[in-house]
Structure formats: structure tokens, C-alpha cells
């Protein structure tokens, strides 16, 4: 067998694995949208693969939901952001809000799965890092990217505080708050997230200006 044929076979197997993985993730999204619990067996059935095959890719439904979140948000949230910090933050919050408000069922399922990891049976906290929450730093990294133009402008402690504060006003938790607690429709929920983000940024810039004058 030539080297070219070997490479071609390897590439074909890799592509098939990627297709199977994506089929399982898409199946999980389908289950969530239909209001059905996500199990590996059900995802395998929808994806038309064997349960044994599905378990080779995902050992637990929460692992599958975690990748569902990654796929659902697999858009360029920070692509082509403008240079102006206020416009950058506004566009980021708007893009994430549009994504999540358009597919609330998926994001609610992901959030529920994350919260369940905090309460294992018989314990008030995760027992170890493997059983801990499945949340990650994605939103923090997005916000940090949006605030890059201010990294050399704001004092480091203020820049850090703004970074932390902005993560509170958009994302899955903000979706739940605006939609369920405040009972806002999607358009108003998005507007509130944008307004809150802009207000935090404006407050930080005012505080930095006061430091400079002092």
C-alpha cells in the first residue's frame, strides 16, 4: 500500500468519526428541542448509531450536553468587532443574546445540566474536580476579547472588575433572569442586556477618568 493510500484511509476514518460525533451532538439538540431527556441511548437512536458506538464518544449525557453547548455557540462571536470599545461590547452581547434567545431550550438544558453537577447525591458541593461543574471560561474569554482595546487604558484592577461585571449581564443566566424572573419578551430581554453592558462600561470609563484627574 502506498503512503498516499494510507493517508487517504486515515483521513476517511477521521472524517467518519467527526460525522458520527456531530450526529450525536445534533441528536442531543433534537431531544432537547422536543422536550425529551438527553440520554446516550436516545441520542444514539436519533443519530442512527449503536449505543456502544455512542458511548465510545460520550460516557455521560452531561458530556454530550457540554459539547452541544460548544457546537451551539460555535459561531464567531468576536469576528470583525469594531475598534470602539462600546460598539465591541454591544455587538458581542447582541450576538450572544441572538444565539441564545433563538434556541432557549438548548441553553436551558445546558444550564440545568451544569447546576446538577453541583449537587451530587449526598453532598452539598462537588466531591472533586471530575465531578465539578461543566461550565467553562468561554464567556469570560469572549468578554476579555471585547475589552482588549481598554487593556492599556483602564487601571488593571478596574479592567478586571469590568470584565467580571460584564459576564453577569449576558449569557444563559441573564437569559433566565430576563425571561423568567422579569418576564420580558426576547427583544426586550436583549435590549436590557445591551443596556446593562453599556452602563457598566460607561461607569468604568467615568471612574477611570476620575482616577486620571486625581
Amino acid at each position: 500500500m502506498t503512503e498516499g493510500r494510507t493517508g487517504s484511509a486515515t483521513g476517511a476514518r477521521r472524517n467518519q468519526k467527526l460525522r458520527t460525533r456531530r450526529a450525536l451532538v445534533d441528536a442531543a439538540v433534537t431531544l432537547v428541542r422536543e422536550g425529551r431527556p438527553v440520554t446516550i441511548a436516545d441520542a444514539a437512536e436519533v443519530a442512527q448509531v449503536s449505543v456502544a458506538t455512542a458511548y465510545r464518544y460520550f460516557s455521560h449525557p452531561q458530556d454530550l450536553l457540554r459539547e452541544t453547548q460548544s457546537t451551539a455557540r460555535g459561531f464567531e462571536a468576536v469576528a470583525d468587532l469594531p475598534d470602539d470599545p462600546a460598539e465591541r461590547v454591544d455587538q458581542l452581547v447582541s450576538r450572544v443574546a441572538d444565539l441564545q434567545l433563538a434556541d432557549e431550550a438548548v441553553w436551558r438544558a445546558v444550564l440545568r445540566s451544569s447546576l446538577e453537577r453541583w449537587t451530587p447525591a449526598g453532598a452539598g458541593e462537588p466531591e472533586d474536580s471530575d465531578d465539578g461543574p461543566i461550565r467553562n471560561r468561554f464567556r469570560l474569554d469572549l468578554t476579555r476579547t471585547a475589552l482588549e482595546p481598554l487593556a492599556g487604558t483602564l487601571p488593571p484592577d478596574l479592567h478586571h472588575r469590568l470584565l467580571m461585571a460584564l459576564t453577569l449581564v449576558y449569557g444563559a443566566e441573564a437569559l433566565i433572569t430576563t425571561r423568567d424572573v422579569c418576564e420580558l419578551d426576547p427583544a426586550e430581554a436583549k435590549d436590557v442586556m445591551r443596556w446593562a453592558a453599556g452602563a457598566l462600561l460607561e461607569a468604568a470609563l467615568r471612574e477611570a477618568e476620575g482616577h486620571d484627574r486625581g
Side-chain angles (χ1 to χ4, degrees), residues 116-180:
E116 288 172 352
R117 295 296 290 267
W118 277 102
T119 55
E125 297 179 355
E127 296 177 359
D128 53 48
S129 58
D130 291 335
D131 291 329
I134 61 173
R135 311 307 298 278
N136 53 46
R137 299 173 57 88
F138 184 78
R139 194 189 328 164
L140 197 62
D141 290 340
L142 288 180
T143 311
R144 183 177 288 110
T145 299
L147 292 180
E148 279 179 353
L150 294 175
T153 302
L154 296 178
D157 59 337
L158 183 55
H159 187 272
H160 176 76
R161 191 182 312 128
L162 176 61
L163 172 64
M164 299 299 109
L166 283 174
T167 63
L168 300 175
V169 299
Y170 76 107
E173 297 85 357
L175 181 151
I176 297 298
T177 301
T178 54
R179 297 284 285 134
D180 295 357

Side-chain angles (χ1 to χ4, degrees), residues 12 73 78 93 100 107 117 121 137 154 163 182 190:
R73 73 190 179 203
V78 292
V93 172
Q100 295 183 329
W107 292 92
R117 295 296 290 267
R137 299 173 57 88
L154 296 178
L163 172 64
C182 301
K190 175 183 172 180

Side-chain angles (χ1 to χ4, degrees), residues 81-91 145-147 149-150 201 205:
L81 288 178
D83 295 331
D84 180 72
E87 292 180 6
R88 289 172 69 87
V89 168
D90 184 67
Q91 284 199 22
T145 299
L147 292 180
L150 294 175
L201 176 59
L205 293 174

